Amino acid sequence: MEHPENSEEYKGLVVNKGIEQPSSVNPYLKRKPKKRQLSVAEFVEGIMKGDVTILSQAVTLVESVKPEHQAVSQEIIEKCLPFSGNSIRIGISGVPGAGKSTSIDVFGLHVLEKGGKLAVLAIDPSSERSKGSILGDKTRMEQLSVHPKSFIRPSPSAGSLGGVARKTRETIILCEAAGFDKIFVETVGVGQSETAVHSMVDFFLLIQLSGTGDELQGIKRGIMEMADGIVINKADGDNLERAKLAATQFRNALHLFPAPESGWIPKVLTYSGFYNLGVKEIWDMIDEYIDFVKGNGYFEYRRNAQSKYWMYESINEQLRDSFYHNPKIEAMILEKEQQVLKGNLTSFVAARSLLDTYFEDLK
Ligand code: GDP
């Protein structure tokens, strides 16, 4: 082919004719044969034996969006379900910087000293694996991540909150079947993810900080109301007095809320994750709570209510998915949206016509 660069007058870079590439750069390189995927029975057997590699692979299937992976993972979950439930599930929430990773690291080690196995999972709908904001990331929990009895799994990557939360809930089932008797579910203390976490745990722990003077500002009332325990972190050094003051303010504020259904009065404690002070007391509080709610029947009641909630959540999520991924809907939804924006169509008529199309298509 003629290149203007090859003309006599051209003074810039010259394009040379290419040479043919060899068929393989490294003839000695042997590609690894693709690993055969385990059967459902092999997955279940591995999980039941507590094989963490197989557990991880199963969780990857749970998180996958591929329909064939979904089908396999649902079968695995179903088979594991009878062996699940036998754990204490704890939700841990706090704004970025509150000290969640530091705390979970020391708290987790403390819990493991008493025996058993601990899984740390996370819900962060904003996270994408490649982008770094990954709750539950191993490098954030240095000691726990190398502990032989722990299993740490980052948040499923970004998606709808419902989807991310469902995957975490299903992962809980697999972890329990694998013999993990303590489950931590971590979440960022901003927005809706607390509600999702609250709906899958037995105890909801809220990590707070002091030092802003106006401690209660900026904490959504709804989040505080969900807490079974509030712990003020970084109660060390110069900050100790302020942390104590914050604790008093939180205790006073909690009095203003209606008494929780569980009959348990939420406690407020101060601690330092960094210096490992007051960590034992947090676990003692959780132990006391579990004894209390197992005694009055609330433990069972809450788990049943959660199962019911997840049944409806799961239906909602799958219906939504099926609707929005329907090819006919995908082809017309943006146009309808435009008509609504231009005022040519009311929202209700647009919705009705889309739904009619969808149901017609299902027939
Ligand atoms: P996360 O974003 O909630 O996971 O918070 P990190 O655990 O990453 O902690 C945020 C920062 O607070 C880090 O620089 C920690 O070293 C510091 N930090 C965590 N816990 C404590 C504590 O108990 N006392 C003090 N002084 N600093 C702490």
Side-chain angles (χ1 to χ4, degrees), residues 95-229:
V95 293
K100 291 182 295 302
S101 357
T102 317
S103 306
I104 291 174
D105 207 22
V106 288
F107 193 40
L109 285 184
H110 174 74
V111 168
L112 283 172
E113 267 170 29
K114 297 176 182 293
K117 299 204 290 181
L118 167 68
V120 181
L121 313 175
I123 293 188
D124 179 5
S126 66
S127 91
E128 269 178 51
R129 291 248 162 106
S130 52
K131 288 199 182 149
S133 146
I134 16 180
L135 288 180
D137 186 0
K138 294 190 181 200
T139 55
R140 294 165 66 237
M141 296 157 200
E142 281 174 16
Q143 303 179 76
L144 210 51
S145 62
V146 293
H147 197 290
K149 301 278 182 191
S150 84
F151 175 72
I152 301 180
R153 187 82 187 185
S155 175
S157 46
S160 70
L161 174 59
V164 172
R166 177 181 54 77
K167 290 170 191 171
T168 303
R169 184 166 153 99
E170 291 176 348
T171 301
I172 292 180
I173 293 168
L174 300 186
C175 290
E176 288 175 348
F180 287 86
D181 59 346
K182 276 123 202 147
I183 315 274
F184 290 178
V185 186
E186 181 189 5
T187 191
V188 180
V190 282
Q192 288 295 304
S193 33
E194 289 80 9
T195 319
V197 173
H198 185 252
S199 65
M200 63 178 83
V201 297
D202 307 311
F203 188 97
F204 189 78
L205 186 72
L206 183 61
I207 300 183
Q208 289 292 337
L209 290 177
S210 65
T212 52
D214 219 349
E215 320 304 349
L216 300 178
Q217 263 193 8
I219 301 159
K220 291 193 198 75
R221 191 193 149 112
I223 296 179
M224 249 181 94
E225 258 176 292
M226 271 190 287
D228 301 298

Side-chain angles (χ1 to χ4, degrees), residues 69-120:
H69 289 167
Q70 280 297 309
V72 177
S73 72
Q74 288 309 315
E75 258 189 84
I76 300 172
I77 292 164
E78 216 175 287
K79 298 239 158 60
C80 285
L81 204 53
F83 308 99
S84 72
N86 197 16
S87 79
I88 297 172
R89 307 167 181 164
I90 300 164
I92 300 178
S93 177
V95 293
K100 291 182 295 302
S101 357
T102 317
S103 306
I104 291 174
D105 207 22
V106 288
F107 193 40
L109 285 184
H110 174 74
V111 168
L112 283 172
E113 267 170 29
K114 297 176 182 293
K117 299 204 290 181
L118 167 68
V120 181

